[in-house]
Amino acid sequence: MPSDNDLFIVIAGLIIFFVLIGMSITLFVLFYYRRRKSYLRENELLKANFDKLLLHSRLEIQEQIFNSISGEIHDNVGQMLSVAKVQLNILSEKREYDSEVVAGIKDSINQVIQDLRHIAKGLNAENIQLSSLPEIVQRETERINRVGFLQASFIVEGTESEMGKDQKLILFRIVQESLQNILKHANAHLVKIVFFYHPDKIRINIIDDGKGFDFEKVINTNKGIGLKNILHRAKQIGGIAKVTSMPEKGTIITIDAPYGN
Amino acid sequence: MIEIIDAIVLASAAFFGLFHFRKSGILFRLLTLYLLYTLISEVVSFYSSKIFHNNSLVQKIYLFVEIIFISGIYYLLFRYSRKRRIIIVLAAFLFLFCFFYFILDKQAILPGYPLTLESIMLIIFSVMYFYQLLKYPYEHDLLSMGEFWLNSSVLVYSTGSFVFWVTFHYLYSHHIVLPGLPVIMNALDILHYFLLGLAIFFHVKRKSLIMHKDAFG
């Protein structure tokens, strides 16, 4: 037969059990809502950081466009107009019609018109929004080839479906920054940009035959700001950037980013 | 009397789930089938003990199928393959343990040890799920989430069941018989089925809200 003591222990145990389990679940709910609050705060912070990055990328792209326009005006349009002016001076000094000089002036002006068309067709914010990523990168490589410091080629494998405009802008900025780094530091003759479109991600390879560098050494100093930007930007769009380089062996920058909106 | 209340609550939860079966997601459909299966087993068990004065075979079969149902429910509840693998491994282990336990101990009338082990497994599952909820707190209203009530129910029931079986074994080994002890298990069952019914209710309510929003914006 059970004693009163046994019964008391069982009942007390049960009461303690239900109080404990009830308290645990209540505590869990309270803790959950606290966690959710901090999760939402973190999310907002991430979003704000992303917006900042986006704005920064836009400004950098604009700056790059202004630089390239001013460069083209100075190097091509300005040069050709100066030539035309000299030819006009020759014509006015001769005081007689010289068909050869006039043809030269015509050629110079035609060249100027062509260059201006190139600039107008080139990159502007609206063009970036309206064009696909391969189209924008194609224009950028054409611009580099026109300048003539190095030979750039561009290959696309797979087909692009609709991409979010923020993602497109940041990916373009990564490519642009990589090309700028190659132009400034790599001493390269050839650069190859390859886009691989997979169903769920895009892989971009930017390969140059330049002098290469020690990645670990550069990334740990103040010099590698451009590289750090590339890695940071890729991370911000949920992707990853990898830099493979060795002194005198060229550089490969690989960007893997989730694809879609 | 308490057995009747137990059966009524179980039947209500099962029929409520069945009534909203088409509206429910796959997880809650499985839960409804589990409740229906439990109801049928309870009825068969009742008549088996009336006619044959023994329902241990029904209880044993019930236990095996219950392991499959509960593991299936938790398999669907988790999103990540690593956790799903843990569920499969633990469930397979328990299944084999029960199998060999019943083969080796043919005299076992009450499957006390397998039930204790099952409780431990369910406690692990429910704690894992709560941990997942804490790690990814996407849900803005936890208390209106069917999955939360389902998991709370499993946690309360399995810890209660664990405490019950441990107490039972202790008292049994000391030759103490408390006549009211099974009532505790019945009370726990009632709470369990009530909370499971509540889980289906919240799930259906949320689904209807989503469907309404999709239809009318």
Side-chain angles (χ1 to χ4, degrees):
Chain A
M1 275 296 285
S3 66
D4 286 349
N5 202 25
D6 293 329
L7 267 175
F8 174 75
I9 290 171
V10 170
I11 292 167
L14 274 172
I15 291 169
I16 291 169
F17 162 73
F18 277 110
V19 169
L20 278 178
I21 200 92
M23 269 171 62
S24 312
I25 292 177
T26 313
L27 274 175
F28 167 78
V29 173
L30 292 175
F31 194 60
Y32 176 87
Y33 281 114
R34 239 178 82 178
R35 277 269 305 160
R36 181 161 168 79
K37 230 178 183 177
S38 70
Y39 161 79
L40 288 177
R41 218 177 299 134
E42 270 171 33
N43 245 11
E44 268 172 32
L45 204 74
L46 273 174
K47 199 181 168 301
N49 277 343
F50 185 76
D51 288 345
K52 219 163 118 183
L53 175 89
L54 207 65
L55 184 70
H56 198 66
S57 299
R58 267 197 201 116
L59 290 173
E60 280 179 339
I61 289 172
Q62 262 177 14
E63 196 187 319
Q64 181 70 20
I65 292 166
F66 290 149
N67 282 343
S68 74
I69 290 174
S70 97
E72 288 203 29
I73 289 173
H74 178 266
D75 296 343
N76 303 330
V77 179
Q79 291 290 333
M80 292 318 292
L81 285 176
S82 300
V83 171
K85 191 183 163 192
V86 170
Q87 285 166 324
L88 276 172
N89 281 340
I90 293 167
L91 201 65
S92 67
E93 272 171 22
K94 276 191 175 175
R95 292 173 188 273
E96 62 185 51
Y97 183 81
D98 186 335
S99 60
E100 234 175 77
V101 178
V102 172
I105 294 168
K106 262 187 182 173
D107 283 347
S108 300
I109 289 171
N110 275 338
Q111 189 61 46
V112 168
I113 290 167
Q114 225 170 18
D115 286 345
L116 283 174
R117 264 199 202 125
H118 271 303
I119 293 169
K121 263 196 213 164
L123 301 168
N124 61 47
E126 204 186 339
N127 268 349
I128 291 172
Q129 300 284 341
L130 294 173
S131 313
S132 70
L133 188 62
E135 282 169 353
I136 312 166
V137 175
Q138 179 67 47
R139 263 180 247 149
E140 188 70 359
T141 47
E142 279 168 10
R143 192 183 66 80
I144 288 170
N145 286 336
R146 269 205 310 279
V147 175
F149 288 129
L150 56 84
Q151 188 63 42
S153 60
F154 177 50
I155 300 161
V156 180
E157 285 188 13
T159 45
E160 187 200 45
S161 56
E162 205 185 329
M163 180 182 271
K165 62 179 188 326
D166 295 344
Q167 194 184 18
K168 186 167 69 177
L169 196 100
I170 289 176
L171 278 175
F172 173 62
R173 183 61 203 140
I174 292 173
V175 175
Q176 204 181 38
E177 183 122 42
S178 308
L179 292 172
Q180 256 175 282
N181 276 353
I182 293 167
L183 280 166
K184 275 187 197 164
H185 311 292
N187 259 347
H189 299 103
L190 295 168
V191 61
K192 192 164 137 189
I193 306 161
V194 191
F195 274 28
F196 298 98
Y197 281 106
H198 297 282
D200 57 340
K201 72 166 188 183
I202 175 173
R203 167 168 282 188
I204 301 172
N205 276 343
I206 302 159
I207 308 155
D208 73 66
D209 65 344
K211 62 182 179 183
F213 59 96
D214 185 338
F215 176 73
E216 290 300 323
K217 213 169 149 185
V218 173
I219 205 79
N220 291 320
T221 59
N222 288 333
K223 284 178 188 170
I225 294 167
L227 274 177
K228 279 177 194 161
N229 277 341
I230 290 169
L231 303 181
H232 177 64
R233 284 196 171 103
K235 208 174 157 189
Q236 286 292 310
I237 50 167
I240 189 164
K242 202 176 125 195
V243 181
T244 315
S245 183
M246 269 168 73
E248 308 306 326
K249 295 264 165 79
T251 304
I252 302 172
I253 298 176
T254 305
I255 302 125
D256 282 316
Y259 186 58
N261 282 305
Chain B
M1 179 65 183
I2 197 159
E3 283 97 345
I4 297 169
I5 300 171
D6 188 356
I8 291 170
V9 176
L10 171 61
S12 308
F15 287 120
F16 181 76
L18 202 63
F19 187 70
H20 296 285
F21 197 76
R22 293 185 77 180
K23 244 192 234 176
S24 309
I26 184 161
L27 170 69
F28 286 86
R29 284 182 183 181
L30 197 63
L31 179 63
T32 302
L33 292 177
Y34 165 64
L35 287 171
L36 273 175
Y37 169 70
T38 307
L39 183 65
I40 293 164
S41 287
E42 289 286 328
V43 173
V44 174
S45 174
F46 176 76
Y47 282 108
S48 170
S49 51
K50 279 261 176 196
I51 298 163
F52 306 109
H53 305 287
N54 184 358
N55 65 354
S56 75
L57 182 70
V58 183
Q59 294 293 334
K60 284 171 188 171
I61 295 169
Y62 174 77
L63 184 65
F64 281 109
V65 183
E66 190 191 27
I67 294 169
I68 297 168
F69 266 119
I70 295 279
S71 314
I73 287 168
Y74 270 94
Y75 184 87
L76 293 171
L77 210 53
F78 284 104
R79 289 184 218 133
Y80 302 103
S81 55
R82 203 170 140 239
K83 286 191 174 147
R84 286 180 161 184
R85 272 201 296 272
I86 294 173
I87 285 163
I88 292 171
V89 170
L90 286 179
F93 170 74
L94 182 65
F95 201 90
L96 287 174
F97 175 83
C98 293
F99 185 74
F100 287 113
Y101 179 82
F102 291 133
I103 283 180
L104 294 173
D105 191 358
K106 283 181 181 154
Q107 302 300 314
I109 299 166
L110 278 169
Y113 288 112
L115 284 174
T116 313
L117 209 63
E118 189 198 23
S119 307
I120 294 171
M121 184 185 85
L122 291 182
I123 292 168
I124 294 171
F125 286 177
S126 51
V127 169
M128 267 165 61
Y129 184 67
F130 273 145
Y131 177 73
Q132 179 179 280
L133 280 179
L134 277 182
K135 206 171 173 192
Y136 309 101
Y138 302 137
E139 190 52 53
H140 75 284
D141 190 5
L142 189 69
L143 297 178
S144 69
M145 191 183 166
E147 288 87 345
F148 167 75
W149 290 104
L150 161 65
N151 195 53
S152 299
S153 172
V154 172
L155 183 65
V156 172
Y157 180 75
S158 48
T159 25
S161 171
F162 176 72
V163 172
F164 173 85
W165 285 110
V166 169
T167 314
F168 179 83
H169 286 304
Y170 174 79
L171 295 174
Y172 190 73
S173 63
H174 287 77
H175 306 290
I176 302 165
V177 179
L178 285 177
L181 205 59
V183 176
I184 296 164
M185 208 53 210
N186 281 117
L188 210 60
D189 275 343
I190 292 171
L191 184 66
H192 182 48
Y193 300 137
F194 173 73
L195 289 176
L196 289 182
L198 206 65
I200 298 174
F201 168 75
F202 277 117
H203 171 71
V204 170
K205 196 178 159 193
R206 176 171 286 207
K207 269 252 165 175
S208 310
L209 257 171
I210 292 168
M211 279 160 78
H212 188 268
K213 265 187 192 169
D214 284 347
F216 301 104

